[in-house]
Amino acid sequence: MLHTAFLILIPVLFVFTLVGLSMGARRLLGIRIGNIRAAIAGTVGVLATMQIISAMGPSSHRPAMTSVQVLCGIIVTMLFLAFSEVLLPSSVLSDIVRLPRALRGRVARTRRYAELSAIAMRNGLSPSLRGLARAGSPKGTVAGRRHAARQVRLALEEAGSTFVKLGQMLSTRYDLLPTEYVEEFSRLHHQAAPDPWERVRKALTEELGQDPDDVFASFDPVPLAAGSMAQVHRARLADGQEVAVKVQRPGAQPVVERDLDILHRLGRKLEEHAHWARSLGLCELINGFAVSLHEELDFRTEARNMAAVTSAAASGAAGAVRTPRVHEEYSTQRVLTLEWLDGVPLTSVGTSVADRGLDGAELARQLLDCVLEQIMLGGVFHADPHPGNVLLLDTGHIGLIDFGSVGRLDRTVRSALRDLLLAFHRSDPTALSDAMLEIVERPEQIDERKLERSLGRFMARHLGPGSRPNREVFSELFLLVARHDLTVPPEVAATFRALATVEGTVERLVPDFDIVAEARRFAAVRVREEMTYERVKESLIDEAIALTSVLRRLPRRVDRITGALEDGRLGVRIRLLADERDRRFVSGLVHDVLMSFIGGIIALVGAVLLSIDGKPTIIGSVSLSQLIGYNLLAVSCILVLRVIFSISRGRG
């Protein structure tokens, strides 16, 4: 019976010691490890402890040295964990577990790399990319840059929708790319063969929970338009309403994720080896592009965008432009059901405006006012109002569709943009400079007088008597900003790009439409509306309410300041280490220094105790002071190991 209990006790004691050593070493090193590594480390520690025990001489001496044995076991376990973490980090083990899935992804990525490499070679992309100097750079001739830009555009179109959308995003960056590339990227478009009806039916059934024949009274299986991410079908609801149903392709999201992964990798490599990529801040651009593309894959975001724009346009001039209503009960993440707008896109309008007796100038003005109100008042605007997204409705109105790409502006930026338009209207370079500095991301040092003079020359050239400004005014303004080392935020760049796109769109209605003059008119009208008695009164009341709490506390604070000044107690307090990262750095540094100091002191005391040859002896010739010295040396080794490991991990 006793023998059986002893046999049971041995494995229990082994496991207990194993767990204790692995947990103790892990906590002392300050790392997180998996169960497999913990079991291996604990086993190594137990075996090392057993070897140490057997090496300490007769069994009668061993109990007194238990503390030294345990500490030595912990040291061995810590050493094993430290070396194993250096040689085979935990992240590598996690990668090994995920290896099968990673291999499948790598095979797909390699296949895509080969496809993209073939596209690049066919279009001579390598020499073309060398022409991508920062905006304003004189590198290459105009003809050479145009040819190179065309090659890049063709390659992006052949590479698919993700790369097309990247080019479309870059076409908003007058401040980053040469004008030739911006103009060429503005022509990017991508069409794809439609998915078979059975695949579309399956996707609709999965998203709506029913077969499309049970949801819609009729559904046209032939799509009206097909892109790489979605296709649009015409349908009719049970109550007879005509709708447009946008269905995301079943394999769209995996393709986008794969291409984004490739873009991130290419961006990092290009920033390492290409000056133009570093000057563009390519990785940051790709990160922002990835966020917007993920939003575009969720049709619920598009539905919210449309609701926000429609709500903002309910009153004012923008109300003359129709936007389709969303049927939310038939819309999901991958299906968007919209009100059907009868009309033709401006790409196909031809001479029908004049033939129908419509005023093209008034329609163009309504569209421009709609976009400007979205930008200046609502803060959510259609970022891609090209002619294909603008309809001439059968009712004679303008319709705006496809809100997958939108821009968002906060109140501060909207106010600065209004000031910028007013500065244009008044031809005031000082006000224009102030407004620009509110919009852009400025460096620490900037010559504001030089910027103001440059803007004055810009306004004299484009807004002086007899001048005829066009969309080139935006690219010129962005180039001027780039020359002064100012960076335009992406949302502001999208704003100017939307305005430039609108100009090309309204020219389908009225050739030679003066968008700058109309924008100046819009700003003047809005200012007059804002300066009415009721609006001024309302604004003053809002400001007064906001200042009430400040004014209520102001007398007490003034009294405190004057009292402190009178008593000679006035001082300024500066809070050091306000940033959390600074506090972590200093805390880690102090921690390591203290651990090193304490470890050194303990080692010194242990060495002194070991040198004492005194009584009483407790293990053969080993005295009590020497036993304590051994323990102190072991503790000192543990502390030093902890410091070395934390430094090697870069915490300090």
Side-chain angles (χ1 to χ4, degrees), residues 475-493:
S475 59
E476 286 284 338
L477 184 59
F478 274 54
L479 288 174
L480 187 150
V481 165
R483 284 196 291 269
H484 284 80
D485 295 325
L486 303 174
T487 303
V488 179
E491 62 273 15
V492 177

